[in-house]
């Protein structure tokens, strides 16, 4: 599958979209570093609980429903699926009131070949299936390389397909 083909995310019919409180998203504090892509905030516009594990640093953050978390991380660089499996940011969603490991929804990383923020849906092991992250679902407008981003879960009805989307904080 080429990068231009549509890559499906994880569908979770129980997901309910909600608005993120913009007051929780602070002004940018991180500066873009020449060739790295940074993540300023992680945002959760769902009623579920979101966890994100930075496999490279082993830092983990929990983002409450309709909330945001300041992380100021650099996206891990990946050039193969093995690197995605061991270094990427792994996003999991927890159904309200249900305990356990949560459902893995996607991985986010910086692509060596294009310098862009890319993603792979859970269960996809073909690195060629990676896709650049859009500014909003279905826009066809992708995040620029080597910038600082806010990353949030995008929800595509019907079926509530979950994909990453982002906002540029610093170019």
């Amino acid at each position: 599958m080429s990068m231009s083909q549509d890559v499906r995310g994880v569908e979770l019919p129980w997901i309910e979209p909600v608005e993120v409180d913009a007051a929780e998203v602070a002004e940018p504090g991180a500066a873009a570093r020449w060739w790295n892509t940074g993540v300023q905030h992680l945002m959760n516009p769902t009623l579920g609980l979101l966890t994100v594990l930075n496999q490279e640093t082993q830092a983990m953050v929990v983002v409450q429903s309709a909330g945001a978390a300041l992380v100021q991380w650099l996206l891990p660089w990946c050039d193969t699926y093995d690197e995605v499996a061991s270094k990427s940011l792994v996003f999991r969603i927890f159904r309200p009131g249900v305990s356990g490991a949560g459902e893995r929804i996607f991985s986010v990383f910086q692509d060596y070949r294009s310098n862009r923020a890319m993603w792979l849906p859970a269960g996809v092991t073909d690195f060629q299936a990676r896709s650049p992250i859009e500014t909003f679902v279905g826009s066809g407008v992708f995040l620029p390389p080597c910038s600082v981003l806010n990353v949030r879960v995008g929800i595509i009805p019907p079926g509530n397909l979950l994909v990453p989307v982002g906002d540029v904080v610093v170019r």
Side-chain angles (χ1 to χ4, degrees):
M1 182 182 296
S2 73
M3 289 191 311
S4 64
Q5 291 177 325
D6 181 34
V7 175
R8 294 188 49 86
V10 173
E11 289 186 12
L12 298 176
W14 57 265
I15 287 290
E16 293 291 332
V18 294
E19 292 294 320
V20 173
D21 183 359
E24 290 188 35
V25 180
E27 289 298 313
R33 293 178 175 85
W34 300 331
W35 56 85
N36 289 314
T37 295
V39 176
Q40 182 82 17
H41 286 92
L42 298 169
M43 298 189 280
N44 178 14
T46 76
L47 289 178
L49 186 69
L50 178 70
T51 64
V52 182
L53 172 64
N54 183 332
Q55 294 182 104
E56 197 165 51
T57 65
Q58 291 302 300
M60 187 173 92
V61 67
V62 176
V63 186
Q64 300 295 323
S65 172
L70 176 66
V71 291
Q72 296 184 328
W73 291 340
L74 294 178
L75 279 181
W77 288 85
C78 296
D79 195 35
T80 64
Y81 176 74
D82 288 342
E83 288 183 322
V84 172
S86 63
K87 293 171 37 178
S88 67
L89 305 185
V90 176
F91 287 67
R92 291 183 177 273
I93 197 88
F94 293 77
R95 179 180 274 194
V98 176
S99 61
E103 296 183 55
R104 186 169 163 234
I105 54 176
F106 49 76
S107 296
V108 173
F109 54 94
Q110 183 166 346
D111 181 61
Y112 269 112
R113 299 169 196 186
S114 67
N115 293 337
R116 287 190 178 276
M118 296 277 193
W119 72 285
L120 277 174
V124 174
T125 60
D126 179 3
F127 188 72
Q128 297 304 314
R130 69 196 183 284
S131 292
I133 297 174
E134 292 180 292
T135 56
F136 62 91
V137 174
S139 70
V141 177
F142 303 107
L143 296 171
C146 310
S147 52
V148 177
L149 318 169
N150 291 326
V151 178
R152 67 187 181 282
V153 176
I155 304 167
I156 305 171
N160 298 331
L161 183 68
L162 303 179
V163 299
V165 291
D167 303 309
V168 178
V169 178
V170 177
R171 264 200 150 149

